[in-house]
Amino acid sequence: MHPEGIGQSVLRREDPRLLEGRGQYVADLFLEGMLHCAFVRSPHAHARIRSVSTTAATQAPGCVAVLTGLDMKADAVGKMTPLWLIPGADNTRLIEPPRWSMAQDRVRHVGEIVAVVIAQSLHEAMDAAELVEVDYEALPCVVDVAQAASADAPQLHDEAPNNRALRFHRGSKPPVDAAFERAAHKISVNLVNHRIICAALEPRAVVTQPSPSRGLDGHALTLWSATQVPHHIRKLVSEQLSITESSIRVIAPDVGGGFGTKGKLYPEETILAWASLKLAKPLKWVSTRSEAFVSDYHARDHSTHAEMALDAQGHILAVRVKTHAALGAYVSTVGAAVPTTVYTAVMSGPYKIPAIFAEVHAMFTNTVPTDAYRGAGRPEACFVLERLIEEAAVQTGMDRFELRRKNFIGKQDMPYSTPLGPTYDSGDFIRLFEQALKLADHAGFAERRRASEQSGKLRGFGICYFVESSGVAPSRYAGTFGARAGFFDSADLRVAADGSIVIMCGTHSHGQAHATTFPQLLASTLGVPLASIELVEGDTGRVPYGTGTFGSRSMVIAGSAILKAAEKILAKAKTIAAHLLSAESVEHKVTGGVCAFVAPDGRQLGWPEVARAATYGHTLPVGMEPVLHETAFFDPSNLTWSNGAQACEVEIDPATGVTQVLSYIAVDDVGVVINPMVVEGQAHGGIAQGIGQALFEAASYDPATGQLLTGSFMDYAMPRADLLPDFITATDETQPCTHNPSGVKGCGESGTIGAPAAVTSAMMDALGSVGVRGVDMPFTPMKVWEALRAAPLPLPSEKVSP
């Protein structure tokens, strides 16, 4: 075992540079002659643009140019194209109304860009932007996804009657209907999975630099963006500008948090690219937090009616789900895929459900577009299933833990194909479930609940189990659902004469610790010290084509490509070593982190000696190319199916409605664990974000005006460290992935996927003890307090003797 290799909790190598303030973010870039941009954004949720007057703004001090959507139209800049053309029911397709980077004649959400002001300084650009006069004709708006389909709802797009972009079906309806006909128990729930807003530490930012002569690097334009997907940005921007992909270089330097929200194309990237080429000047824009709230893609926003059919013994016979999902004002990059193909793929969860039918209506509303945010469709599906299970336990009188146990897919059933299409390759769900209950000391919960009641408080125990489609790929699967790109990834390994190695990948690390974990793969495979391995990512001008980092995919896909390339290098190195030792073959041995190529007679060479021989080429076998340099691409045959159990306890103070999360346990199957400390950190962050949605966070719009009411941290509540308990996390490595070389499964989103369901389970257990039911997330103090005022049973404080 390599002391710095797979399975070791190596400290994150990227942290010292970031902690010491030596990170390099887009906002840190200052180029000679650089101009600054400020955007004029719509104050209306829905309005017709009668005119835009830029005269006063162009005369403002320092102003260089004011450009509008009509200027982009005159230059034939194309519309923004989503990455997925999702197929709909009955041979229909996703309706994609034109979305322009700057509005041309109509705005459809507060924050939509109407003009860009370019000036010598940021303050001059902001001052000039105040002078742009836009004459709007305000139109009626609709912000509630459940109301968007009503006959009298305002219509956002002529191309989409009843505001519906897509009607999506998955599964077979007749078997489901038949199962409900014979069911002993029929359970139904109405659920709201509310809209939330990502709040990455670093706001989005873009810098562009034109190079008409194509300069030394051969690119007409270099675009720096705080993005997770440099190659996707290059593709989408080049398509809008009708120039070749190879003429654009996209660089994503350090990025201060992405969470999926920064893994999409935004209008600002294309606007700055176009304006920079038009003016032949470098440009810069850094979002303010206020802008971020009304322009960064939002997430979730589902209204769902779900039903479950069970036999008399509690075995699930069928599930039927109908969801209205808000796309927002437009179809964003992956916005249509999240509530359709991603959401429905895991609707079977960990349970044996013979028949499932899911129907999704993707709806337009006068709100910021929605897209993938940590979990992306998987938290919503987990929430639906777990609420059905819990409601079934309440209505049938069955034990909610036993109900899960009798319906779990067994380890012996793997590989298991769900009625919705996906095939799980591995998993031992009951094992993780029992481990979570043990770590949570569920056996002692009744005593703890009594203690809480004695102090006048309510206590609840929550549980959930989820299955997650992670390692987003394969390309063939994505193609069947209308993807307009491949989902493979790549690795380019270059060994220098001294044996040091550079890894170049098409992924991007913004908290995932790639600079630590990717080299750990090589340390174990090749037997080289971690200090001799460096990683380059995020630069389309340097790295091979890659899909980027999102969907818990980097280690699964790029890590596999690294291992494939490493195998090629090792095979060549062994051939060289055997030739140098005049041996028929050599054995590659790693002892204490040191590599040796050993001949049958015991003679040996070290890694640096072989690397030097390969690079100099003096004594290579006849016909062999010099240098240890290999490239590999990996496109898996299946997604990976991460899964896990989460348990928590909450305590509610009925006098104030305040909820305290007392404990939180997560047991995850993420396959082989490369770095336990990194995996634990990913779990902690995900749980915190999931608890945030369950208890604190909610994006709220005024239904009459479409104004975002939670447009700052004064109104949008974030989870804080002092509100969270210590997390207890564990991993189970007994069920590695069967279709990638390292056996890993994705780990970055598991905490967020389970936490809303687990916390809701605990809250309803606590509230249910006094007869309160039907409370939706987020469980804010006011909402909980009001629900308890109407409790049909006495509160603990009313039971306590004076």
Side-chain angles (χ1 to χ4, degrees):
M1 179 180 291
H2 195 294
E4 299 176 313
I6 293 173
Q8 303 303 305
S9 289
V10 177
L11 292 177
R12 286 165 44 106
R13 303 167 72 203
E14 43 272 272
D15 284 354
R17 177 176 63 85
L18 298 173
L19 292 171
E20 293 167 8
R22 293 184 285 115
Q24 293 292 316
Y25 300 89
V26 174
D28 295 323
L29 287 170
F30 291 92
L31 307 176
E32 185 177 353
M34 185 167 68
L35 304 177
H36 297 263
C37 299
F39 290 104
V40 177
R41 298 179 183 273
S42 170
H44 297 281
H46 197 191
R48 189 170 288 110
I49 301 173
R50 291 195 182 107
S51 64
V52 180
S53 175
T54 63
T55 303
T58 56
Q59 295 172 356
C63 183
V64 174
V66 181
L67 303 171
T68 69
L70 294 181
D71 294 311
M72 295 190 86
K73 181 179 181 180
D75 286 353
V77 177
K79 65 179 182 179
M80 298 176 67
T81 303
L83 206 59
W84 294 73
L85 182 61
I86 301 293
D90 303 322
N91 296 314
T92 60
R93 282 278 179 181
L94 173 71
I95 296 172
E96 301 176 291
R99 181 191 183 193
W100 309 105
S101 295
M102 283 197 285
Q104 296 183 0
D105 57 4
R106 199 162 153 190
V107 291
R108 294 177 173 86
H109 71 86
V110 171
E112 185 168 359
I113 297 173
V114 176
V116 59
V117 177
I118 301 167
Q120 298 288 345
S121 72
L122 174 60
H123 293 300
E124 288 172 327
M126 295 174 70
D127 288 344
E130 295 287 338
L131 300 177
V132 175
E133 298 177 6
V134 185
D135 183 11
Y136 296 101
E137 178 190 345
L139 301 171
C141 66
V142 58
V143 298
D144 188 304
V145 65
Q147 297 175 2
S150 63
D152 58 349
Q155 295 297 293
L156 272 73
H157 302 279
D158 295 339
E159 302 89 338
N162 299 315
N163 292 317
R164 189 170 68 189
L166 179 72
R167 181 167 59 92
F168 180 86
H169 288 173
R170 194 163 190 173
S172 179
K173 192 172 186 295
V176 171
D177 293 342
F180 272 87
E181 286 294 324
R182 66 178 189 274
H185 303 286
K186 301 173 186 177
I187 311 300
S188 66
V189 293
N190 290 306
L191 303 170
V192 173
N193 203 304
H194 59 284
R195 177 177 286 246
I196 54 177
I197 302 173
C198 179
L201 191 61
E202 176 208 23
R204 290 187 296 114
V206 182
V207 167
T208 53
Q209 183 176 42
S211 180
S213 62
R214 292 191 173 243
L216 294 175
D217 67 2
H219 298 95
L221 177 75
T222 300
L223 186 155
W224 289 266
S225 178
T227 183
Q228 304 169 220
V229 288
H231 282 97
H232 280 179
I233 299 304
R234 185 183 72 170
K235 163 189 161 60
L236 296 169
V237 170
S238 69
E239 288 174 351
Q240 278 191 268
L241 300 182
S242 298
I243 59 179
T244 62
E245 281 193 56
S246 59
S247 65
I248 300 178
R249 179 183 183 183
V250 176
I251 301 174
D254 289 324
V255 172
F259 310 111
T261 303
K262 290 180 184 171
K264 316 295 176 286
L265 175 68
Y266 283 91
E268 294 88 354
E269 285 154 328
T270 301
I271 293 170
L272 263 73
W274 161 72
S276 193
L277 292 170
K278 186 180 184 70
L279 301 176
K281 291 286 187 179
L283 302 178
K284 182 176 186 177
W285 168 77
V286 178
S287 174
T288 65
R289 186 61 66 181
S290 295
E291 281 183 292
F293 272 101
V294 296
S295 64
D296 289 5
Y297 296 139
H298 295 180
R300 316 297 191 243
D301 205 351
H302 286 196
S303 176
T304 296
H305 177 75
E307 301 169 278
M308 177 177 280
L310 303 97
D311 67 16
Q313 291 73 43
H315 297 104
I316 303 172
L317 302 176
V319 164
R320 188 160 53 199
V321 176
K322 183 177 182 180
T323 294
H324 284 80
L327 297 181
Y330 301 98
V331 183
S332 57
T333 310
V334 188
V338 170
T340 54
T341 175
V342 181
Y343 170 62
T344 59
V346 290
M347 196 57 75
S348 185
Y351 307 114
K352 284 185 180 179
I353 307 176
I356 305 174
F357 181 71
E359 178 180 357
V360 179
H361 295 258
M363 308 297 297
F364 290 117
T365 56
N366 292 113
T367 57
V368 175
T370 58
D371 211 302
Y373 166 73
R374 201 168 192 172
R378 283 74 54 90
E380 298 93 311
C382 172
F383 191 76
V384 169
L385 268 180
E386 294 301 286
R387 293 314 307 146
L388 280 170
I389 286 281
E390 301 253 317
E391 187 64 21
V394 170
Q395 292 190 27
T396 63
M398 298 180 187
D399 180 83
R400 56 183 173 147
F401 303 99
E402 286 302 320
L403 192 57
R404 287 177 169 89
R405 288 184 180 105
K406 70 173 55 180
N407 285 288
F408 276 137
I409 301 162
K411 179 177 69 172
Q412 70 280 1
D413 298 318
M414 300 297 175
Y416 178 85
S417 294
T418 78
L420 296 171
T423 298
Y424 305 159
D425 63 309
S426 62
D428 192 350
F429 306 149
I430 188 66
R431 175 188 174 98
L432 273 66
F433 182 72
E434 300 297 351
Q435 186 178 355
L437 291 178
K438 183 177 180 180
L439 288 172
D441 186 24
H442 179 250
F445 173 69
E447 183 177 344
R448 295 191 296 276
R449 169 174 267 181
R450 283 193 295 271
S452 291
E453 289 177 347
Q454 286 298 311
S455 62
K457 295 181 180 180
L458 299 172
R459 195 179 190 109
F461 187 95
I463 188 73
C464 83
Y465 206 104
F466 68 90
V467 173
E468 171 196 357
S469 54
S470 58
V472 173
S475 299
R476 186 180 299 275
Y477 172 84
T480 64
F481 288 98
R484 288 166 164 151
F487 285 82
F488 54 85
D489 234 295
S490 57
D492 184 329
L493 305 187
R494 303 181 182 188
V495 182
D498 63 357
S500 60
I501 305 172
V502 174
I503 308 171
M504 294 188 173
C505 282
T507 48
H508 187 276
S509 186
H510 37 276
Q512 293 84 355
H514 292 175
T516 304
T517 56
F518 283 179
Q520 283 185 263
L521 292 175
L522 283 189
S524 286
T525 304
L526 299 179
V528 296
L530 216 61
S532 68
I533 307 170
E534 297 299 328
L535 174 67
V536 176
E537 293 179 297
D539 185 345
T540 64
R542 296 185 65 189
V543 304
Y545 185 91
T547 303
T549 292
F550 56 89
S552 302
R553 68 183 306 279
S554 293
M555 184 57 73
V556 175
I557 314 299
S560 296
I562 289 170
L563 288 177
K564 286 182 65 178
E567 289 168 1
K568 295 179 186 179
I569 282 179
L570 183 57
K572 185 174 180 178
K574 289 172 71 174
T575 300
I576 294 171
H579 177 73
L580 295 175
L581 292 170
S582 300
E584 185 174 334
S585 63
V586 295
E587 185 178 357
H588 176 244
K589 293 184 176 181
V590 180
T591 306
V594 178
C595 157
F597 297 92
V598 184
D601 60 5
R603 290 176 300 124
Q604 64 183 43
L605 292 172
W607 175 258
E609 296 167 281
V610 174
R612 189 178 303 111
T615 305
Y616 291 176
H618 299 164
T619 54
L620 295 179
V622 175
M624 176 178 281
E625 295 179 352
V627 181
L628 296 174
H629 179 187
E630 297 290 348
T631 298
F633 292 83
F634 184 75
D635 197 345
S637 58
N638 192 0
L639 294 151
T640 61
W641 300 99
S642 313
N643 61 90
Q646 296 182 16
C648 71
E649 284 187 34
V650 300
E651 190 175 63
I652 301 170
D653 184 349
T656 62
V658 171
T659 298
Q660 183 181 2
V661 182
L662 301 173
S663 65
Y664 205 99
I665 289 84
V667 183
D668 284 303
D669 168 10
V670 294
V672 173
V673 175
I674 304 302
N675 186 314
M677 183 179 62
V678 168
V679 170
E680 183 179 11
Q682 289 286 311
H684 283 207
I687 293 168
Q689 287 177 282
I691 292 175
Q693 178 179 6
L695 294 182
F696 311 110
E697 300 180 50
S700 178
Y701 280 91
D702 182 275
T705 65
Q707 294 295 323
L708 182 65
L709 302 177
T710 51
S712 76
F713 289 133
M714 292 292 289
D715 303 296
Y716 189 87
M718 296 289 289
R720 301 194 310 267
D722 63 334
L723 300 176
L724 302 174
D726 290 336
F727 301 141
I728 298 173
T729 62
T731 55
D732 185 297
E733 298 184 63
T734 64
Q735 305 296 311
C737 178
T738 62
H739 48 264
N740 66 56
S742 60
V744 300
K745 303 174 185 178
C747 77
E749 298 169 283
S750 62
T752 312
I753 292 168
V759 173
T760 298
S761 171
M763 292 297 296
M764 298 316 299
D765 185 46
L767 295 170
S769 67
V770 292
V772 173
R773 299 179 63 195
V775 183
D776 290 323
M777 298 186 295
F779 298 98
T780 61
M782 176 62 77
K783 187 185 293 186
V784 172
W785 186 86
E786 288 178 340
L788 288 172
R789 299 287 73 74
L793 299 176
L795 300 177
S797 59
E798 298 166 352
K799 301 177 187 177
V800 178
S801 301

